[in-house]
Amino acid sequence: MKAVELFSGIGGFRLACDNKNIRTVFANDIKTLACDVYASQFGTSVLHRGDIKDFFDKIPDHDLLTAGFPCQPFSSAGKKEGIRDPRGTLFQSIVKTLDKNKPKYFILENVKRLLSMENGEHFATILQELSTLGYCVEWRLINAIHFGLPQNRQRLFITGIRDHEPKIRLLPKSDIDQLSSGHLILARDPSRWQEINVHGKAFPNWGLAKEGKFLGCNVNKFSDAAPPVLLRDILSSEVPSDFDFTETTLSWLANNTPVNRYYQGVEIISNQGGGARMGYTIYGINGVSPTLTASTSRHYERYKVGEKFRRLTNYEYARIQGFPDHHCQVVSTYNQYELYGNAVPPPMVEWILGRIFPDKNEDLWPAINQLEIFDHAN
Ligand SMILES: C[S@@+](CC[C@H](N)C(=O)[O-])C[C@H]1O[C@@H](n2cnc3c(N)ncnc32)[C@H](O)[C@@H]1O
């Protein structure tokens, strides 16, 4: 099994593929620091530095294409004409590679917002393009919290398989079982497959698409969850004083209002005016972290650890994202935050790989005509 990793960053997909014995034969990223990290961890032989548009001819044959692609709005010229025009976007480089190399599988990763951007038009265009290239597409929104990571990070995974019959891979059987007591529809009924371009303002968090049509529903439970891990379980006990708050920051915090509640698993201790200014929020360690971002501003990471107030360390960031502590050690501590914040957590990818390529002959992949699933409330 050979994989190609586009927009490879620091290699979140690569780590997961290595763990599943899938050999990466080509990786590409434009960002120097990300490539420096990638090269330090995986060598230089498969890594191609630079703009993807210069490398289409160099992409070798492969079975699996992976990509956490940057989310860009489609062009306004397309909008004016009343159609979506994805030409020239980075997503198009994925389409071009799938069209040219025809790998049997792909896995793409993106932010939750993609399901509702531009009233669903953006995702509709993506589904339309992928499903008419001969792939059965399946997507699901999953949260890092369920993969033993102390972070509220919802990410959308879009998978594709060149296959005639749509099968459900991203819903474990117990998730499907939870769905079968409500108003039921028979997914085999072709009239239940909607035209992709006739969609609501947001796509549901799970679905299938094929040849320009889709079917989906909101699945709100995740039955395959690993035991929860909290921030306090992964924090370092000895942390250099560089990570402590400055006197100036401490003086701002004197004006904070206590909040003391959990929001999506994140413990919020206090902030200014009860929440209006994120920048002043102090988080606790008895919950999980909010989504780590690629922002270089450290305003979002303020934690009360014991009696101290401090930022998280680069090692703690690595753990929260599911990377080894020293993964990014070739770049400065300052730059590591952004690289981790941009990365895909390898444990999430491993779960997706396990659903597509199961280790044992489990009761996986029911063909949709063997299933009854919930209709989703649009
Ligand atoms: C969301 S990040 C992907 C991170 C990666 N999955 C990881 O685990 O680190 C998107 C990546 O796309 C890269 N990128 C943006 N424009 C690019 C281009 N034109 N060609 C190649 N890579 C590009 C960025 O440098 C960034 O590392």
Side-chain angles (χ1 to χ4, degrees), residues 68-135:
F69 61 106
C71 177
Q72 302 164 295
F74 295 145
S75 85
S76 53
K79 256 188 214 166
K80 262 186 236 145
E81 287 154 25
I83 47 154
R84 298 284 118 185
D85 184 1
R87 275 170 303 172
T89 63
L90 292 169
F91 170 69
Q92 203 56 27
S93 55
I94 293 170
V95 171
K96 201 166 165 177
T97 309
L98 293 174
D99 201 22
K100 178 164 176 274
N101 297 77
K102 302 195 170 24
K104 175 140 194 217
Y105 307 92
F106 67 75
I107 305 177
L108 313 179
E109 180 247 3
N110 218 291
V111 294
K112 176 184 177 185
R113 198 165 57 89
L114 194 67
L115 291 171
S116 56
M117 265 173 85
E118 299 178 30
N119 291 326
E121 286 295 306
H122 203 93
F123 192 61
T125 306
I126 286 173
L127 282 187
Q128 191 76 38
E129 295 252 343
L130 296 173
S131 74
T132 48
L133 277 174
Y135 288 90

Side-chain angles (χ1 to χ4, degrees), residues 12-13 16 66-69 106-112 114-115 123 126-127 130 137-144 147 153-160 170 204-207 222 343-353 355-356:
F13 278 106
T66 66
F69 61 106
F106 67 75
I107 305 177
L108 313 179
E109 180 247 3
N110 218 291
V111 294
K112 176 184 177 185
L114 194 67
L115 291 171
F123 192 61
I126 286 173
L127 282 187
L130 296 173
V137 181
E138 184 176 6
W139 72 92
R140 186 166 186 189
L141 191 68
I142 55 178
N143 195 327
F147 300 90
R153 184 184 191 89
Q154 295 197 73
R155 284 295 181 267
L156 178 66
F157 284 85
I158 309 165
T159 61
L170 302 186
N205 64 21
W206 169 82
F222 187 81
V344 63
M348 296 177 86
V349 179
E350 277 187 51
W351 184 80
I352 298 279
L353 288 171
R355 298 301 307 170
I356 297 176

Side-chain angles (χ1 to χ4, degrees), residues 5-14 28-32 34 48 50-53 55 67-72 90 93 109 323 339-346:
E5 189 176 18
L6 300 187
F7 310 109
S8 49
I10 59 172
F13 278 106
R14 168 67 185 255
N28 164 258
D29 203 284
I30 201 170
K31 192 170 183 156
T32 305
H48 295 75
D51 194 318
I52 181 60
K53 73 174 166 34
F55 288 96
F69 61 106
C71 177
Q72 302 164 295
L90 292 169
S93 55
E109 180 247 3
F323 281 82
L339 294 171
Y340 284 126
N342 239 337
V344 63

Side-chain angles (χ1 to χ4, degrees), residues 115 119-121 194 198-203 214 378:
L115 291 171
N119 291 326
E121 286 295 306
Q194 289 171 241
V198 183
H199 56 83
K201 287 194 170 171
F203 279 82
F214 83 102
N378 244 332

Side-chain angles (χ1 to χ4, degrees), residues 160-214:
I161 300 181
R162 284 184 171 273
D163 214 347
H164 292 304
E165 191 181 23
K167 292 188 181 134
I168 297 177
R169 289 167 164 86
L170 302 186
L171 298 179
K173 190 170 176 311
S174 36
D175 287 359
I176 295 169
D177 290 345
Q178 290 165 18
L179 295 176
S180 43
S181 63
H183 6 283
L184 294 169
I185 63 161
L186 281 176
R188 69 165 157 259
D189 176 357
S191 68
R192 296 293 180 170
W193 285 73
Q194 289 171 241
E195 295 290 332
I196 289 173
N197 53 16
V198 183
H199 56 83
K201 287 194 170 171
F203 279 82
N205 64 21
W206 169 82
L208 289 165
K210 201 184 169 218
E211 291 167 356
K213 295 195 167 184
F214 83 102

Side-chain angles (χ1 to χ4, degrees), residues 33 125 220 276:
L33 291 176
T125 306
N220 293 320

Side-chain angles (χ1 to χ4, degrees), residues 96-374:
K96 201 166 165 177
T97 309
L98 293 174
D99 201 22
K100 178 164 176 274
N101 297 77
K102 302 195 170 24
K104 175 140 194 217
Y105 307 92
F106 67 75
I107 305 177
L108 313 179
E109 180 247 3
N110 218 291
V111 294
K112 176 184 177 185
R113 198 165 57 89
L114 194 67
L115 291 171
S116 56
M117 265 173 85
E118 299 178 30
N119 291 326
E121 286 295 306
H122 203 93
F123 192 61
T125 306
I126 286 173
L127 282 187
Q128 191 76 38
E129 295 252 343
L130 296 173
S131 74
T132 48
L133 277 174
Y135 288 90
C136 280
V137 181
E138 184 176 6
W139 72 92
R140 186 166 186 189
L141 191 68
I142 55 178
N143 195 327
I145 262 177
H146 294 134
F147 300 90
L149 300 175
Q151 182 185 182
N152 175 38
R153 184 184 191 89
Q154 295 197 73
R155 284 295 181 267
L156 178 66
F157 284 85
I158 309 165
T159 61
I161 300 181
R162 284 184 171 273
D163 214 347
H164 292 304
E165 191 181 23
K167 292 188 181 134
I168 297 177
R169 289 167 164 86
L170 302 186
L171 298 179
K173 190 170 176 311
S174 36
D175 287 359
I176 295 169
D177 290 345
Q178 290 165 18
L179 295 176
S180 43
S181 63
H183 6 283
L184 294 169
I185 63 161
L186 281 176
R188 69 165 157 259
D189 176 357
S191 68
R192 296 293 180 170
W193 285 73
Q194 289 171 241
E195 295 290 332
I196 289 173
N197 53 16
V198 183
H199 56 83
K201 287 194 170 171
F203 279 82
N205 64 21
W206 169 82
L208 289 165
K210 201 184 169 218
E211 291 167 356
K213 295 195 167 184
F214 83 102
L215 178 85
C217 62
N218 282 312
V219 182
N220 293 320
K221 292 214 171 121
F222 187 81
S223 52
D224 223 1
V229 173
L230 302 177
L231 272 176
R232 63 172 188 238
D233 303 326
I234 61 97
L235 293 186
S236 303
S237 46
E238 308 267 311
V239 170
S241 56
D242 317 1
F243 295 93
D244 291 350
F245 286 4
T246 59
E247 289 302 322
T248 323
T249 309
L250 284 172
S251 68
W252 292 338
L253 299 178
N255 301 323
N256 263 16
T257 313
V259 176
N260 295 320
R261 68 179 175 94
Y262 288 82
Y263 179 70
Q264 296 184 331
V266 180
E267 186 189 12
I268 300 174
I269 293 187
S270 69
N271 58 27
Q272 288 215 334
R277 303 217 25 202
M278 269 287 283
Y280 293 91
T281 300
I282 298 291
Y283 300 107
I285 61 168
N286 297 310
V288 298
S289 77
T291 310
L292 303 188
T293 68
S295 157
T296 46
S297 155
R298 300 272 60 84
H299 285 253
Y300 300 101
E301 285 93 36
R302 296 197 167 127
Y303 290 84
K304 181 166 189 261
V305 185
E307 290 316 306
K308 262 192 171 176
F309 292 93
R310 68 166 174 90
R311 292 181 292 126
L312 297 177
T313 69
N314 46 325
Y315 295 154
E316 290 164 343
Y317 246 58
R319 293 170 202 163
I320 291 171
Q321 281 284 70
F323 281 82
D325 282 6
H326 297 279
H327 190 81
C328 288
Q329 66 186 349
V330 289
V331 301
S332 70
T333 302
Y334 175 82
N335 286 318
Q336 291 185 26
Y337 291 98
E338 181 182 355
L339 294 171
Y340 284 126
N342 239 337
V344 63
M348 296 177 86
V349 179
E350 277 187 51
W351 184 80
I352 298 279
L353 288 171
R355 298 301 307 170
I356 297 176
F357 313 115
D359 293 335
K360 47 187 190 307
N361 203 7
E362 284 175 65
D363 175 22
L364 283 182
W365 314 343
I368 66 143
N369 63 7
Q370 295 159 1
L371 271 185
E372 292 177 321
I373 59 169
F374 262 132

